[in-house]
């Protein structure tokens, strides 16, 4: 079985993959609550002959599915969690399926299925005896809360992988070669004393005062942190009635920087500010460490393999009907949003991209040697083994993720992108399994960029993964 046959195997599974993508879209499940979604994926892989292990990292919806034996071992990452409050019908007007319900606003229904299709195709090549090695589908929950891969990595899930591949739906197709920021996610819960705010204010100690003072302290801190650091917060419990001194209040912080050491240094500073706020208000404070990830380090050698396969597979084959619906969705965005989202596209392609509803042709990497100021739990995987990722066009040009328009696309024409991604992943994994020189080059780069020190999770050993989706 040659590579073109492996890619064609994806096409033979097309109907099953499209059906699964729509099924996942129709039952969106939040982080760590993806019970039905993970079960469907596990069932599909087990039926195909994969050896499945569930409960990875102490998370019931995390799993790995293996086929083959011996080296090399190539991993393909899959995600399947949805987002709160983004329920949406396949419509170009705001139309929730369930008021306040969840929706696949980041395309993880596509992510899960595209990765699955790639793994199934590579399995058939191994089964035929034409290539040797092991293919692993990593079922990764709770990406939206940066929990899934962090706790899987801490449990050693990726330790035997010689390389890992991933992708993500987007508005354009391109290798993802930028770095990202390391991050800590923490909550600070202040406890004071309740009292009648008018009759007996002297008896009260306001936890909300403590949160406000903490946030003010962090605002003054901002002037003295590195330019590429990011600190942001949300008050998740801000008290109740105005005439009751609030006895409890909680604030949730993300602390980000390009490397783990700087994140930890800034987190210590934020901790000190929290302690100071508690002292000033005569309250107490408890810190809950939720999760922490490492920066993502792209492997250029692997990314070149992916880029070659993007070129071989070509454009996402959208229909005229797909493009028309994408145009209806695109019309609902502010033109400034589209202009901003396409500002970094090379000038040679910019006019064509902005003039399209769906731009299906692969573009060169647009973020090489840059730092993206977000964070991803794929960062932990990239500290353990070489990783390459790519974006694949699934949404109208200029569409940002986490919007209702993207949910509508993900339930309709974007399912075509899952098939496309499966072909690129299958071709890339085939190359890595059949070309030892590619993995050797990727490993050499990994050792130069990351080093050979054992991986250390940012999450303390005593911290368990959250058990539900409360921390969205």
């Amino acid at each position: 079985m040659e590579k073109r046959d492996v890619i064609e195997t994806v096409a033979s599974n097309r109907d099953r993959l499209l059906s699964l993508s729509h099924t996942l879209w129709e039952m969106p499940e939040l982080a760590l609550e993806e019970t039905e979604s993970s079960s469907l994926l596990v069932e599909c892989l087990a039926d195909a002959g994969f050896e499945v292990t569930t409960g990875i990292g102490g998370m019931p919806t995390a799993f790995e599915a293996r086929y083959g034996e011996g080296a090399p071992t190539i991993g393909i990452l899959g995600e399947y969690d949805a987002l709160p409050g983004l329920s949406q019908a396949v419509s170009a007007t705001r139309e929730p399926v369930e008021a306040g319900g969840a929706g696949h606003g980041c395309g993880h229904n596509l992510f899960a299925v595209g990765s699955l299709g790639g793994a199934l195709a590579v399995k058939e090549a191994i089964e035929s005896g034409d290539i040797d090695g092991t293919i692993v589908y990593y079922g990764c929950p709770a990406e939206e809360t940066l929990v899934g891969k962090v706790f899987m990595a801490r449990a050693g899930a990726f330790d035997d992988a010689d390389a890992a591949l991933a992708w993500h739906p987007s508005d354009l197709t391109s290798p993802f070669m930028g770095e990202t920021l390391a991050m800590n996610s923490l909550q600070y819960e202040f406890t004071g004393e309740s009292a009648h705010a008018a009759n007996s204010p002297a008896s009260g100690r306001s936890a909300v005062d403590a949160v406000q003072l903490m946030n003010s302290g962090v605002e003054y801190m901002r002037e003295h942190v590195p330019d590429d650091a990011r600190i942001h917060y949300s008050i998740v419990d801000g008290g109740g009635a105005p005439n009751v001194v609030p006895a409890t209040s909680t604030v949730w912080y993300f602390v980000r920087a390009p490397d783990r050491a700087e994140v930890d240094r800034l987190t210590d500073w934020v901790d000190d500010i929290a302690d100071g706020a508690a002292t000033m208000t005569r309250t107490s404070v408890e810190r809950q460490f939720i999760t922490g990830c490492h920066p993502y380090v792209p492997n250029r050698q692997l990314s070149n393999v992916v880029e070659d396969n993007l070129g071989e597979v070509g454009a996402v084959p959208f229909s005229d009907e797909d493009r028309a619906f994408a145009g209806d969705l695109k019309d609902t965005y502010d033109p400034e949003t589209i202009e901003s989202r396409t500002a970094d596209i090379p000038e040679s392609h910019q006019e064509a991209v902005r003039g399209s509803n769906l731009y299906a042709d692969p573009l060169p990497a647009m973020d090489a040697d840059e730092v993206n100021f977000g964070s991803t739990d794929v960062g932990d995987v990239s500290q353990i083994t070489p990783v390459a990722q790519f974006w694949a066009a699934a949404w109208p040009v200029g569409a940002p993720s986490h919007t209702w328009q993207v949910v509508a696309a993900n339930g309709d024409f974007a399912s075509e992108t899952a098939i496309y991604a499966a072909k690129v992943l299958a071709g890339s994994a085939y190359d890595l399994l059949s070309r030892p020189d590619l993995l050797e080059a990727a490993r050499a780069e990994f050792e130069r960029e990351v080093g050979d020190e054992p991986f250390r999770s940012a999450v303390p050993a005593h911290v368990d993964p959250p058990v539900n989706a409360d921390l969205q």
Side-chain angles (χ1 to χ4, degrees):
M1 182 179 282
E2 298 181 357
K3 184 165 76 168
R4 65 175 179 271
D5 301 314
V6 176
I7 293 174
E8 195 57 37
T9 297
V10 174
S12 69
N13 286 325
R14 173 185 175 82
D15 290 345
R16 178 166 58 154
L17 295 172
L18 290 177
S19 176
L20 182 55
S21 171
H22 288 300
T23 299
L24 295 180
W25 183 86
E26 289 169 353
M27 56 176 202
E29 297 174 299
L30 299 178
L32 296 179
E33 294 181 355
E34 317 96 327
T35 304
E36 292 185 67
S37 299
S38 61
S39 294
L40 282 173
L41 296 165
V42 164
E43 180 181 3
C44 184
L45 288 156
D47 287 348
F50 283 72
E51 180 181 347
V52 181
T53 304
T54 59
I56 304 295
M59 297 171 290
T61 56
F63 67 90
E64 65 173 34
R66 292 176 172 265
Y67 187 88
E69 58 183 24
T73 297
I74 305 300
I76 298 180
L77 310 181
E79 299 171 4
Y80 32 89
D81 58 328
L83 287 157
L86 280 181
S87 177
Q88 170 65 25
V90 176
S91 170
T93 58
R94 185 68 170 110
E95 186 182 337
V97 175
E98 176 187 353
H104 273 290
C106 212
H108 291 178
N109 63 307
L110 312 175
F111 193 157
V113 171
S115 296
L116 176 72
L120 291 175
V122 176
K123 172 259 179 183
E124 294 200 22
I126 295 174
E127 186 179 33
S128 72
D130 292 316
I131 54 175
D132 296 321
T134 304
I135 187 72
V136 186
Y137 181 101
Y138 293 104
C140 307
E143 185 278 335
E144 298 294 356
T145 54
L146 296 183
V147 166
K149 299 178 198 67
V150 168
F151 286 90
M152 293 174 75
R154 193 181 70 172
F158 310 105
D159 288 356
D160 71 338
D162 293 293
L165 302 171
W167 75 288
H168 202 287
S170 185
D171 62 329
L172 298 170
T173 300
S174 176
F176 175 14
M177 293 181 64
E179 298 183 13
T180 63
L181 300 183
M183 190 199 78
N184 280 345
S185 172
L186 317 95
Q187 288 193 353
Y188 298 85
E189 182 178 357
F190 291 86
T191 302
E193 292 287 343
S194 62
H196 194 294
N199 287 340
S200 56
S203 302
R205 298 292 180 265
S206 172
V208 169
D209 286 353
V211 164
Q212 289 180 306
L213 283 167
M214 178 183 177
N215 293 345
S216 293
V218 171
E219 295 299 344
Y220 283 103
M221 170 188 174
R222 289 186 193 280
E223 182 182 357
H224 308 289
V225 303
D227 290 343
D228 49 11
R230 297 289 186 272
I231 305 173
H232 23 274
Y233 55 82
S234 174
I235 300 173
V236 295
D237 171 15
N243 65 337
V244 178
V245 175
T248 61
S249 187
T250 302
V251 61
W252 186 2
Y253 269 82
F254 282 4
V255 181
R256 309 185 201 243
D259 62 76
R260 280 301 321 168
E262 185 64 16
V263 169
D264 291 338
R265 185 185 76 83
L266 295 176
T267 299
D268 288 343
W269 192 348
V270 173
D271 286 348
D272 289 343
I273 292 172
D275 290 339
T279 298
M280 286 188 285
T281 54
R282 296 194 173 182
T283 59
S284 61
V285 61
E286 292 289 334
R287 185 186 89 152
Q288 179 189 4
F289 191 103
I290 298 167
T291 189
C293 67
H294 288 261
Y296 173 65
V297 180
N299 188 280
R300 287 162 179 76
Q301 294 292 333
L302 286 188
S303 296
N304 290 337
V305 173
V306 167
E307 187 165 25
D308 289 344
N309 279 275
L310 288 170
E312 287 184 45
V313 176
V316 185
F318 293 120
S319 68
D320 291 342
E321 184 180 359
D322 297 337
R323 296 177 187 280
F325 182 38
D328 292 340
L329 291 170
K330 184 181 177 185
D331 287 343
T332 66
Y333 287 108
D334 188 317
E336 291 184 4
T337 296
I338 297 171
E339 185 174 347
S340 172
R341 289 270 300 165
T342 56
D344 294 333
I345 295 171
E347 288 187 10
S348 56
H349 295 85
Q350 197 168 83
E351 183 177 352
V353 170
R354 287 178 172 170
S356 302
N357 295 331
L358 285 170
Y359 193 82
D361 294 321
L363 292 168
M366 292 174 280
D367 54 2
D369 301 318
E370 294 184 3
V371 175
N372 298 306
F373 290 103
S375 305
T376 172
D377 58 0
V378 183
D380 280 30
V381 186
S382 76
Q383 301 287 328
I384 298 170
T385 193
V387 177
Q389 303 183 85
F390 64 95
W391 306 109
W395 310 329
V397 168
S401 60
H402 298 200
T403 59
W404 65 262
Q405 296 94 328
V406 162
V407 181
N410 290 335
D412 192 69
F413 58 80
S415 58
E416 190 66 55
T417 307
I419 308 299
Y420 173 84
K423 293 178 179 181
V424 176
L425 291 167
S428 301
Y430 183 94
D431 286 342
L432 297 177
L433 287 166
S434 60
R435 294 269 310 274
D437 59 306
L438 296 176
L439 284 176
E440 290 171 4
R443 175 57 57 175
E445 179 186 336
F446 174 83
E447 292 177 355
R448 289 194 305 271
E449 296 292 326
V450 177
D452 55 5
E453 291 292 320
F455 171 76
R456 293 183 60 186
S457 175
V459 180
H462 69 275
V463 174
D464 295 327
V467 295
N468 55 42
D470 289 345
L471 298 173
Q472 287 286 346

